[in-house]
Amino acid sequence: QSGANGGRLEDYIGALLVESKAVWVGMYGGGLLPPAYPEAKSASSIAAPSIPALPVPAAPPTLAELNSMLLRVKSLIVQMPIGSGAYLGEDWQTQGDSIGRYGRQYAHFFAMQSPWGDHFPVSMPGYQAVANIGPRYAGTDALRSWVQWVHTENPRSLYDPQIGYRRQAEADDHGETVDREIDGPDIWLRVSVPPGIHRISLYLFNKDGHDGDNRERDYLVSLLPYRVRMSDAIALPALAHTRVRDFWGGVYKSFLVRGPHPYYLRVARNNSLNTICSAVFIDKLLPAPRQEDDMQTLFLGAVRYNPPSVAETKNASPILTVSRDLWRGLNAAPIPSRTSWRLLAFRSAASAGASPALLANWRWHLKVWQDSDRAEFIRAMITAHTSLLELQPQLKTAQK
């Protein structure tokens, strides 16, 4: 806490680096502070050291390391019982450009047509995500549908293909009316998936997270077994969980599940001012989705915004060949570590001279963006919305 602001929580320690006789302090709002020396009698008695160097990027895996990883993937016997789940990881790069990358089978953008959200699709057998207030407040309060900016160019706000621009909207648990020391209200999502292995993702953006109490939003997200009553599920051990903090940049948090089965996702207020969430997405991973499973394309008119196509590279180097084999093997292995292993395969392929098309395809699936990828997203969305309005002119009213 910074004492220069009258005791208010205006700066936080975000990182500590401990050296042999010094501690470097990284502040959320104040940058890197000079180190503290517990043994020093005065600040002038110690010469200030140089700022620690940034870490050196790790080298790509060697051919031997890639072959070892490939053998491990081939030997995996993945047993994921129905109703089980695991945490998959986070994505800080995609921001508001979810279309194509998330929610190809189902998406719910909260409060986009406040008090209602936008669903993609409106209905599809086996998929559902229903948001509620936590069990302690059910019947006495309800989730709020909050619209911060009706029309914005902020890239962290979700682009909605039905209205053709970005809008900052979210579900809100009305937690600002409850003492910070009291549990809840929280946002609870009852999510159902059909047979197969799926990815469930939440998008959270602390759009006003630089000021006052808004900066203190710090959530615990838990994947819970389903029970008819939320109050029965809250006491069960979580299948997986993750923390959400310092999310002014916008973050996707993803979980791996297997259906047919319902789940609960609880976004706990965790002593924050309130709980907010922008959207929930479901994507089918295994068996591989068919073209008719891709419901998101219904809202892109005649445009098909898909990963870049890849042709086989002839006379590929051994490293590139094994990297591609590892990538394919990971596609069929629903394991929580597959994202990090895919990234290693990508870095090896890039170092081995992989084609631009292959790297663009892998970037799409890894949620790694370049300026050219952003430009293509914008171009595709503009074209898609023009096409959508030609096919469904009644949607023009949704833009207001």
Side-chain angles (χ1 to χ4, degrees):
Q1 176 178 334
S2 173
N5 296 299
R8 293 177 299 158
L9 293 176
E10 294 295 344
D11 287 291
Y12 301 91
I13 296 175
L16 291 172
L17 174 62
V18 180
E19 294 185 313
S20 58
K21 293 185 178 181
V23 179
W24 290 86
V25 180
M27 305 295 291
Y28 177 87
L32 185 66
L33 297 186
Y37 298 91
E39 300 175 1
K41 295 181 180 180
S42 67
S44 60
S45 64
I46 299 293
S50 58
I51 295 177
L54 293 173
V56 176
T62 64
L63 181 59
E65 290 170 334
L66 287 171
N67 277 311
S68 176
M69 294 165 64
L70 181 58
L71 287 174
R72 290 177 62 187
V73 169
K74 287 182 176 180
S75 66
L76 282 175
I77 300 177
V78 179
Q79 295 181 347
M80 188 174 183
I82 293 174
S84 61
Y87 177 59
L88 267 181
E90 59 190 26
D91 168 12
W92 293 90
Q93 289 199 41
T94 299
Q95 298 184 333
D97 298 345
S98 66
I99 304 303
R101 269 75 169 179
Y102 291 94
R104 296 191 78 113
Q105 275 65 62
Y106 181 92
H108 183 179
F109 288 14
F110 298 122
M112 278 290 183
Q113 310 289 344
S114 184
W116 299 281
D118 274 346
H119 292 74
F120 308 92
V122 175
S123 63
M124 184 176 178
Y127 292 97
Q128 189 181 51
V130 179
N132 289 291
I133 203 166
R136 181 169 182 169
Y137 296 85
T140 62
D141 203 347
L143 289 183
R144 278 7 188 210
S145 295
W146 182 262
V147 178
Q148 183 79 8
W149 305 311
V150 174
H151 189 166
T152 179
E153 298 300 324
N154 190 322
R156 300 173 184 86
S157 295
L158 289 168
Y159 174 84
D160 186 332
Q162 287 201 68
I163 60 178
Y165 51 78
R166 301 180 191 276
R167 174 173 291 170
Q168 183 51 43
E170 62 211 13
D172 183 330
D173 75 340
H174 208 210
E176 62 272 15
T177 63
V178 179
D179 289 343
R180 299 277 284 271
E181 296 78 12
I182 297 177
D183 191 35
D186 305 336
I187 295 174
W188 281 66
L189 293 143
R190 186 181 76 248
V191 183
S192 299
V193 296
I197 294 175
H198 294 77
R199 181 186 69 206
I200 303 175
S201 306
L202 299 179
Y203 183 61
L204 304 107
F205 169 36
N206 196 9
K207 77 286 179 184
D208 49 3
H210 280 336
D211 303 308
D213 291 341
N214 299 323
R215 288 176 54 176
E216 298 173 38
R217 291 187 176 111
D218 185 343
Y219 307 149
L220 181 64
V221 181
S222 301
L223 179 69
L224 297 171
Y226 177 76
R227 296 293 184 271
V228 174
R229 298 190 306 176
M230 291 186 291
S231 56
D232 293 336
I234 198 171
L236 299 174
L239 301 172
H241 58 81
T242 182
R243 187 178 177 188
V244 181
R245 60 186 294 269
D246 293 343
F247 56 106
W248 182 80
V251 62
Y252 295 81
K253 296 282 187 169
S254 296
F255 296 87
L256 190 70
V257 299
R258 182 178 178 184
H261 202 76
Y263 295 83
Y264 279 123
L265 272 173
R266 178 194 182 192
V267 187
R269 185 170 65 119
N270 195 30
N271 302 116
S272 302
L273 170 69
N274 59 1
T275 312
I276 57 176
C277 183
S278 294
V280 57
F281 305 89
I282 308 176
D283 291 274
K284 187 177 182 181
L285 302 182
L286 291 173
R290 305 162 299 173
Q291 183 175 353
E292 53 266 34
D293 295 331
D294 189 354
M295 292 290 102
Q296 196 171 80
T297 59
L298 296 176
F299 300 90
L300 299 181
V303 172
R304 295 296 176 262
Y305 182 54
N306 296 315
S309 58
V310 180
E312 290 292 332
T313 303
K314 296 180 180 180
N315 303 318
S317 67
I319 285 184
L320 180 54
T321 299
V322 178
S323 297
R324 290 188 309 197
D325 291 343
L326 177 60
W327 183 277
R328 294 190 189 101
L330 289 168
N331 285 344
I335 55 176
S337 60
R338 83 174 194 164
T339 299
S340 57
W341 282 27
R342 271 179 159 186
L343 185 58
L344 292 174
F346 173 83
R347 295 177 63 237
S348 294
S351 69
S355 68
L358 176 68
L359 296 179
N361 179 280
W362 287 12
R363 285 199 309 271
W364 175 294
H365 292 289
L366 284 168
K367 316 300 186 295
V368 173
W369 292 74
Q370 293 185 350
D371 290 345
S372 58
D373 303 320
R374 297 288 183 192
E376 173 58 21
F377 175 85
I378 293 172
R379 184 204 65 77
M381 293 303 104
I382 292 174
T383 305
H385 191 63
T386 300
S387 174
L388 179 64
L389 293 183
E390 291 175 352
L391 296 173
Q392 302 184 49
Q394 72 276 12
L395 289 178
K396 291 181 179 180
T397 58
Q399 297 180 346
K400 298 179 180 179

